[in-house]
Amino acid sequence: GQNIDQPTEMTATEGAIVQINCTYQTSGFNGLFWYQQHAGEAPTFLSYNVLDGLEEKGRFSSFLSRSKGYSYLLLKELQMKDSASYLCAVRSGGVTDSWGKFQFGAGTQVVVTP
Amino acid sequence: DSGVTQTPKHLITATGQRVTLRCSPRSGDLSVYWYQQSLDQGLQFLIQYYNGEERAKGNILERFSAQQFPDLHSELNLSSLELGDSALYFCASSVDSGSTDTQYFGPGTRLTVL
């Protein structure tokens, strides 16, 4: 099975930086994804890591350490519109699944205050 | 707009009934994924199809079934509905070229079982 843990909620002020951590336990790791989801809307893709290291995309960066089962999403220069839930998702393959299952964490609600 | 369409947007039905949710992937995407999102369970991966064939199975109940048709649209059938099946059901699609495997989510179908 897989366990994915991320904090329930984080609060930060506009213009600040927030780091959302995600730890996971899985076998047959095949990639880690971060999604943003505003209330009542569909998740939207933010980033993908399959190799160790940092991936930077504008104000958002994501880091992965496979040996530690750890990832973080870094949000810089926070804006009010960044208030949303951030979902960490892990894909892992198995004997019976050709390309692997996805499992999502419960999400971290980020609240950006003025 | 992700390019993934889902119908209907809302569905209200009674316990014991059967419903069908429909998903059309983005043009060119061969993979379709189904997810269930409820308040207490978060986003749960149900099943994945690729070019008409089942590729990965998650926490899908035996009362639920899905298929992907030759035109690549997919349907999720939910039968013997229970109150606990009330949730948002998302469909996502991806190219599945073996690269980033980014999933693009549709707007979801909100199912209410009374």
Side-chain angles (χ1 to χ4, degrees):
Chain A
Q2 302 172 47
N3 290 310
I4 301 177
D5 291 311
Q6 49 182 131
T8 304
E9 186 172 312
M10 303 182 75
T11 301
T13 53
E14 209 172 358
I17 298 173
V18 70
Q19 177 175 313
I20 306 169
N21 296 324
C22 171
T23 57
Y24 63 89
Q25 294 174 307
T26 189
S27 55
F29 176 82
N30 199 15
L32 187 141
F33 300 77
W34 284 96
Y35 285 83
Q36 179 192 62
Q37 186 177 26
H38 286 98
E41 298 182 11
T44 55
F45 170 79
L46 291 178
S47 69
Y48 165 78
N49 296 72
V50 70
L51 299 176
D52 291 351
L54 188 68
E55 294 282 340
E56 295 190 82
K57 257 188 178 185
R59 293 190 300 114
F60 295 172
S61 304
S62 58
F63 171 83
L64 175 68
S65 168
R66 288 171 298 170
S67 62
K68 294 181 180 175
Y70 168 71
S71 172
Y72 68 72
L73 178 70
L74 197 68
L75 285 62
K76 299 178 234 179
E77 300 168 18
L78 278 173
Q79 301 175 9
M80 298 299 290
K81 67 178 181 180
D82 297 330
S83 291
S85 183
Y86 291 84
L87 308 173
C88 170
V90 172
R91 184 160 207 177
S92 59
V95 173
T96 57
D97 296 323
S98 302
W99 292 349
K101 305 177 195 180
F102 280 88
Q103 180 147 350
F104 282 73
T108 298
Q109 186 65 42
V110 170
V111 178
V112 181
T113 59
Chain B
D1 184 356
S2 67
V4 178
T5 60
Q6 288 187 249
T7 56
K9 273 192 170 178
H10 301 277
L11 197 50
I12 301 174
T13 188
T15 54
Q17 295 298 304
R18 173 190 169 96
V19 297
T20 297
L21 312 183
R22 184 188 167 103
C23 168
S24 292
R26 294 186 324 153
S27 177
D29 284 359
L30 298 178
S31 256
V32 168
Y33 308 76
W34 285 100
Y35 294 89
Q36 178 193 58
Q37 187 173 40
S38 56
L39 283 173
D40 57 345
Q41 292 282 332
L43 198 60
Q44 299 286 317
F45 168 68
L46 296 178
I47 198 163
Q48 177 199 355
Y49 280 83
Y50 175 77
N51 206 20
E53 292 187 9
E54 182 183 307
R55 282 293 175 147
K57 216 166 187 177
N59 302 322
I60 188 165
L61 299 172
E62 284 192 17
R63 299 184 286 110
F64 296 180
S65 65
Q67 54 183 327
Q68 187 179 27
F69 295 87
D71 67 352
L72 301 176
H73 91 271
S74 178
E75 292 181 357
L76 178 67
N77 300 297
L78 315 176
S79 61
S80 303
L81 284 168
E82 301 174 359
L83 295 176
D85 297 327
S86 294
L88 253 179
Y89 289 84
F90 287 110
C91 164
S93 74
S94 70
V95 172
D96 262 334
S97 63
S99 55
T100 66
D101 197 17
T102 301
Q103 294 179 45
Y104 295 89
F105 282 75
T109 293
R110 184 170 292 283
L111 174 67
T112 303
V113 182
L114 301 175

